[in-house]
Amino acid sequence: MLKNDKIIGNIIFLTIPLICLFFSISYSIEQNSIDSALYLGNFINIPDEMSFAHLMKVNQFSLLIYLQAFLLKLGLSFIGVSQITLFFSILMNFIGIYLIIKSIINNVTNQAYVKIISFIFSYIAIFIIGLNLGMVDYAVVIFSEHTFGMYAASMPTFIFGLLANGNIFFAFFSAFILLCIHGVLGAWMIGILILTSIIYKFYYNESYFIKDAIIGFLIGLLLFIIFFSLHSYFTGSFKIIELSGFDLKTLNNWDVHWEAHRYRKEINYLYIFKSILLMIITILLIRFNKSDLNKNTSFAMVSIVLTIILGLTIYTLYKVFLESLPPFIKAPMPSRVFNSHSLIAWPIFFSYSIIIIKKISYRIKIQFNKLFLIFYVTLSLLIISFNTKNLLNYIFFHYDKEIGINSVLKNNPFRTNVATFILNSPFNDIFLKKKYIRGRGNFDFWKKINNYDTDSYWIASSPYHKDLLRYGRKPVLINSNSFDIVYMGGAKSLMIIKDIIENVYNIPFDKPPLLPLKTYYGRVPGALVKIEFEGKKYQDWLKISNKYNVNHVIVPSNWNIDLPIDFTNGKLTLYKIQ
């Protein structure tokens, strides 16, 4: 039996990264964080420092962006770096969830069965249903273009998993890596680990973990100091976030009309209820199942309880005093720390249920495996009922009503993932007659743009500003679909963005039109961009060109712009101002 346990463990150990690699290539979601890496690595020439592009370069304190810039310097493609970024996030989610389940149900049945159960649930939770408890103010995502949203969810999950598995050193060290990647969540997790250590030392009178915790803490701290010093050297600034100099009236208008995350007054009561339920279950797990949990798992559970209690406290205080909070509190968006437990909630519910089933099987004298099978089927039905939309999207993503059910059979999720894996693989020319090249179907267009030698900014409508940056390698005046960097970029960024909104997009910063949206959430709606751009006269464009050093505009070919056409491919058109 021990030999079989080891074999199954080794198979799972090898299978997890292979599955994560498969899905990271299959999805191949282009990561927004690499836009900053392109600027940081000087792949794109920035004409001056008073610009949105320069803010993207110097105001992104993240080790991840430096690593991405390094990979780009090595010659990797944009999509290749995106796949690597996605891979590590998925891998941390998988390992974290797997280790949490495995640690909690470790004494329920034989080790081989424990590992198989943990593996299957982790796979379903991540790749089929995308289970999470919910979110507050900031999205909890597993697969997304929003890199920091992914890592803000995956790395705490990974750290909790390490704790549960007894990897104290790596848990503390990983918390400092998170600090280098995502400052707010990193500081949060370090604080949680320290508080848990204090409670375990003085309340439980345990000290077995102290040596590993201190070593992990010190090495992690050294890593952070080195990275912070390098960041300060390359950017010429010792500030991670610029918090002073705001015009408070202008900042208030930003909060009310444009801020995407920090000024949401709504309270997610359902998420609060589910979090409290998770906390109660976790406490019951610690209190009444000591024989089922080892010291390491209990340590992890205590840290999760602390995360919920303190996260809920911060979230509640943030909402109550939102309108009177100073910029230095709103800037790090502290309410998002309440999301830290979202991805591990269902694995804990699932694991505790298995422990209960084990106890019931003893009492009613039914073999655990049979009782678990009944539970598994029932749980699957419940999960499906609560996640019908995700499951239907998974199965019927390529459904064609004219073809009928055959469209699902021919384009089932597995076959679709294999096809996209081949399509996005670096070696797709082995499987395809013609090598596939990314770029929204306009590769030749962006290749021609890339060859332009200019020392000016460019304007592109959404979503083509992304391709202009990533494939055309030209500095964008502003990303009209996402410019929510005011609190990270400081007072200068606020004035730059306000000026561009009012003079390029002709939208009153303090009173934007309510339609078509009640709030703009850090972007200018595409419908308004089209109306405004088509309404401008040549002289208006000339004023913009002279003020902002902009000479080129890229929009869909069905837009009518009062500018001379440089060239078009029928889908996109490049206009030249002067």
Side-chain angles (χ1 to χ4, degrees):
M1 185 60 70
L2 290 175
K3 185 177 180 181
N4 290 337
D5 293 347
K6 188 174 181 180
I7 291 172
I8 290 174
N10 290 336
I11 291 173
I12 290 175
F13 178 78
L14 295 172
T15 302
I16 288 177
L18 290 176
I19 290 174
C20 295
L21 179 64
F22 172 80
F23 279 98
S24 64
I25 294 176
S26 179
Y27 281 90
S28 288
I29 303 170
E30 296 184 356
Q31 297 299 300
N32 284 348
S33 61
I34 309 180
D35 294 343
S36 294
L38 288 170
Y39 284 124
L40 184 68
N42 296 318
F43 293 95
I44 299 171
N45 178 48
I46 302 176
D48 59 72
E49 294 187 1
M50 289 300 293
S51 66
F52 179 84
H54 181 72
L55 295 172
M56 288 282 288
K57 177 179 179 179
V58 302
N59 288 296
Q60 297 288 344
F61 179 78
S62 176
L63 176 62
L64 191 60
I65 292 176
Y66 281 85
L67 293 175
Q68 290 169 336
F70 175 73
L71 292 175
L72 291 170
K73 289 284 188 181
L74 291 179
L76 273 70
S77 65
F78 188 97
I79 192 61
V81 178
S82 293
Q83 290 167 343
I84 293 171
T85 304
L86 188 60
F87 167 75
F88 282 104
S89 180
I90 301 171
L91 182 64
M92 286 188 290
N93 273 322
F94 205 139
I95 292 175
I97 292 173
Y98 172 80
L99 290 178
I100 287 171
I101 298 173
K102 175 178 168 293
S103 300
I104 295 175
I105 67 172
N106 190 56
N107 296 325
V108 169
T109 183
N110 67 74
Q111 287 298 300
Y113 202 27
V114 164
K115 292 171 183 176
I116 292 171
I117 292 172
S118 304
F119 177 83
I120 292 174
F121 185 88
S122 300
Y123 180 90
I124 294 172
I126 295 171
F127 300 109
I128 296 182
I129 302 177
L131 281 177
N132 65 62
L133 197 66
M135 65 196 75
V136 292
D137 296 348
Y138 196 81
V140 174
V141 290
I142 297 175
F143 302 99
S144 173
E145 65 178 349
H146 301 292
T147 314
F148 297 111
M150 285 197 312
Y151 275 76
S154 64
M155 288 204 71
T157 301
F158 179 63
I159 291 168
F160 286 129
L162 290 174
L163 286 178
N165 197 52
N167 305 115
I168 304 297
F169 166 82
F170 287 108
F172 274 81
F173 180 71
S174 296
F176 276 94
I177 293 178
L178 178 56
L179 181 66
C180 294
I181 291 175
H182 194 298
V184 175
L185 268 298
W188 170 251
M189 289 305 299
I190 291 170
I192 291 295
L193 292 178
I194 292 173
L195 283 174
T196 306
S197 299
I198 293 172
I199 290 173
Y200 235 61
K201 176 66 176 71
F202 294 102
Y203 182 79
Y204 291 99
N205 198 29
E206 294 283 356
S207 57
Y208 72 94
F209 60 90
I210 292 178
K211 181 180 177 181
D212 287 343
I214 291 175
I215 295 173
F217 181 93
L218 292 177
I219 295 178
L221 179 61
L222 179 62
L223 172 68
F224 174 77
I225 293 172
I226 292 172
F227 171 61
F228 179 75
S229 300
L230 290 174
H231 173 77
S232 301
Y233 173 78
F234 285 119
T235 61
S237 173
F238 286 92
K239 295 180 180 179
I240 298 176
I241 301 176
E242 178 61 65
L243 298 173
S244 61
F246 283 107
D247 178 81
L248 295 182
K249 182 179 180 181
T250 305
L251 184 63
N252 182 66
N253 286 328
W254 167 265
D255 284 340
V256 173
H257 301 296
W258 302 94
E259 174 58 43
H261 303 289
R262 295 168 178 83
Y263 204 72
R264 294 186 178 182
K265 298 181 180 180
E266 303 85 359
I267 297 176
N268 191 336
Y269 291 104
L270 178 60
Y271 183 76
I272 292 175
F273 169 77
K274 290 188 289 186
S275 296
I276 293 174
L277 179 62
L278 173 63
M279 181 185 68
I280 293 171
I281 288 176
T282 306
I283 292 172
L284 292 175
L285 187 61
I286 298 169
R287 180 68 180 83
F288 297 107
N289 296 276
K290 294 180 180 179
S291 61
D292 295 306
L293 304 181
N294 59 35
K295 294 179 181 179
N296 296 315
T297 310
S298 296
F299 190 100
M301 294 303 105
V302 171
S303 69
I304 292 168
V305 171
L306 278 175
T307 299
I308 297 170
I309 294 173
L310 297 178
L312 176 58
T313 302
I314 291 172
Y315 178 71
T316 303
L317 292 174
Y318 187 83
K319 293 298 181 180
V320 170
F321 299 104
L322 178 60
E323 295 186 8
S324 59
L325 292 176
F328 76 89
I329 292 180
K330 286 188 287 187
M333 203 191 314
S335 60
R336 61 182 157 185
V337 300
F338 194 35
N339 286 334
S340 303
H341 57 276
S342 183
L343 290 181
I344 58 173
W346 284 104
I348 293 175
F349 289 144
F350 173 75
S351 303
Y352 193 35
S353 300
I354 291 178
I355 291 177
I356 293 174
I357 290 172
K358 181 67 175 180
K359 294 180 183 298
I360 293 174
S361 70
Y362 276 128
R363 291 202 172 191
I364 63 177
K365 297 181 180 179
I366 295 179
Q367 190 177 0
F368 168 76
N369 292 355
K370 293 180 180 179
L371 196 60
F372 173 74
L373 181 61
I374 296 171
F375 163 77
Y376 183 78
V377 172
T378 305
L379 180 65
S380 297
L381 293 174
L382 286 172
I383 290 174
I384 289 171
S385 66
F386 282 104
N387 295 272
T388 305
K389 183 178 179 180
N390 288 353
L391 190 62
L392 291 178
N393 286 342
Y394 178 75
I395 297 174
F396 296 102
F397 185 76
H398 292 283
Y399 176 74
D400 188 329
K401 62 181 180 181
E402 295 182 2
I403 299 174
I405 193 64
N406 284 333
S407 63
V408 177
L409 298 176
K410 292 181 179 179
N411 296 289
N412 58 76
F414 177 75
R415 183 173 179 176
T416 301
N417 283 325
V418 170
T420 52
F421 173 83
I422 293 172
L423 194 66
N424 294 313
S425 168
F427 311 106
N428 59 34
D429 53 337
I430 297 175
F431 304 97
L432 305 176
K433 293 181 179 180
K434 183 179 179 182
K435 188 171 180 65
Y436 171 70
I437 303 173
R438 297 181 69 92
R440 298 184 191 275
N442 297 293
F443 179 77
D444 292 334
F445 183 89
W446 299 117
K447 185 177 181 181
K448 193 170 182 179
I449 295 293
N450 193 301
N451 292 328
Y452 272 57
D453 185 15
T454 64
D455 191 28
S456 59
Y457 293 103
W458 293 53
I459 292 177
S461 62
S462 178
Y464 302 107
H465 60 278
K466 296 179 180 179
D467 291 335
L468 174 60
L469 191 70
R470 298 167 185 177
Y471 301 105
R473 298 292 170 93
K474 295 295 180 286
V476 179
L477 178 66
I478 195 171
N479 175 356
S480 63
N481 195 53
S482 179
F483 44 75
D484 184 29
I485 65 168
V486 162
Y487 280 99
M488 304 303 293
K492 183 169 70 173
S493 68
L494 176 61
M495 301 317 296
I496 290 173
I497 292 171
K498 175 180 181 294
D499 189 69
I500 293 174
I501 287 173
E502 292 181 335
N503 293 291
V504 175
Y505 296 98
N506 200 30
I507 298 174
F509 185 80
D510 57 343
K511 290 183 179 180
L514 291 178
L515 296 175
L517 299 174
K518 292 182 179 180
T519 179
Y520 284 65
Y521 283 158
R523 68 188 183 94
V524 177
L528 294 186
V529 175
K530 184 176 187 295
I531 293 170
E532 179 55 33
F533 279 19
E534 289 186 326
K536 290 185 185 296
K537 301 300 181 183
Y538 177 74
Q539 291 300 321
D540 297 323
W541 287 111
L542 200 59
K543 290 178 182 178
I544 291 173
S545 175
N546 291 330
K547 181 173 183 177
Y548 299 105
N549 188 20
V550 174
N551 288 327
H552 297 88
V553 179
I554 298 174
V555 295
S557 295
N558 61 355
W559 290 22
N560 297 310
I561 307 296
D562 186 18
L563 285 172
I565 295 176
D566 197 328
F567 77 91
T568 181
N569 69 350
K571 296 180 180 179
L572 295 173
T573 298
L574 172 66
Y575 293 92
K576 187 173 183 180
I577 301 176
Q578 61 179 346

